[in-house]
Each structure stands twice: as structure tokens, then as C-alpha cells.
């Protein structure tokens, strides 16, 4: 097995493991933000959605690191996906 094939295999393994973990907070942020905007247009104040959107999950407050977490997960998943796309395994 060549060095490129090992790197490709590691990128696929990382991507396969990280995507489900990254999808949860990214989808949560996207859905709560959209739903909050739609409800606000209907004059329904659902402030609790905004708290979820920004990373405050009840007693677990991730607000100080939540944007960096989302950004980091997005970058890692994108980079591992691009690594697989640009160097297809043979």
C-alpha cells in the first residue's frame, strides 16, 4: 500500500466518523435560526430557539465556544471531503 493510499484511507475514515458528529450541531443551528425567523414574522416570540441557535442547551452553555466549534467542524469536514474528491482512490 502506497503512502497516498494510506492518506486517502485516513481521510475517508476521518470524514466518515466526523460527518455525523458535525451534522448535528450544523443542522440544529440552521434549523433553529430559520424557524426563529419564520416564527418572528408571524409575531411569535420563540426566544428559546435563539438560545439553542447560539449554543445554550439548558445547563450546558457552549455559547463562548459554539461559533468556533461550528467553524472548525465545517473546515475539517470540507477539507476531508475535498481530499477524497481531488484524489480518488484507484
Amino acid at each position: 500500500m502506497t503512502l497516498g493510499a494510506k492518506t486517502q484511507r485516513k481521510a475517508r475514515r476521518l470524514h466518515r466518523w466526523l460527518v455525523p458528529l458535525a451534522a448535528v450541531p450544523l443542522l440544529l443551528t440552521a434549523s433553529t435560526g430559520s424557524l426563529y425567523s419564520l416564527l418572528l414574522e408571524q409575531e411569535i416570540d420563540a426566544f428559546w430557539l435563539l438560545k439553542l441557535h447560539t449554543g445554550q442547551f439548558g445547563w450546558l452553555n457552549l455559547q463562548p465556544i459554539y461559533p468556533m466549534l461550528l467553524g472548525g467542524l465545517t473546515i475539517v469536514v470540507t477539507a476531508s471531503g475535498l481530499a477524497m474528491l481531488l484524489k480518488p482512490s484507484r
Side-chain angles (χ1 to χ4, degrees), residues 20-51:
L21 292 177
V24 172
L26 292 171
L27 290 173
L28 178 70
T29 301
S31 60
T32 54
S34 298
L35 188 58
Y36 180 76
S37 295
L38 290 172
L39 291 175
L40 204 55
E41 286 179 7
Q42 302 297 322
E43 298 179 8
I44 300 171
D45 187 24
F47 190 68
W48 59 274
L49 278 174
L50 198 55
K51 290 196 176 275

Side-chain angles (χ1 to χ4, degrees), residues 10-20 76-77 80-81 84:
K10 285 182 183 179
R12 287 186 188 279
R13 188 175 297 139
L14 175 68
H15 190 77
R16 201 175 299 132
W17 182 77
L18 244 164
V19 167
V76 169
V77 168
S80 66
M84 291 186 301

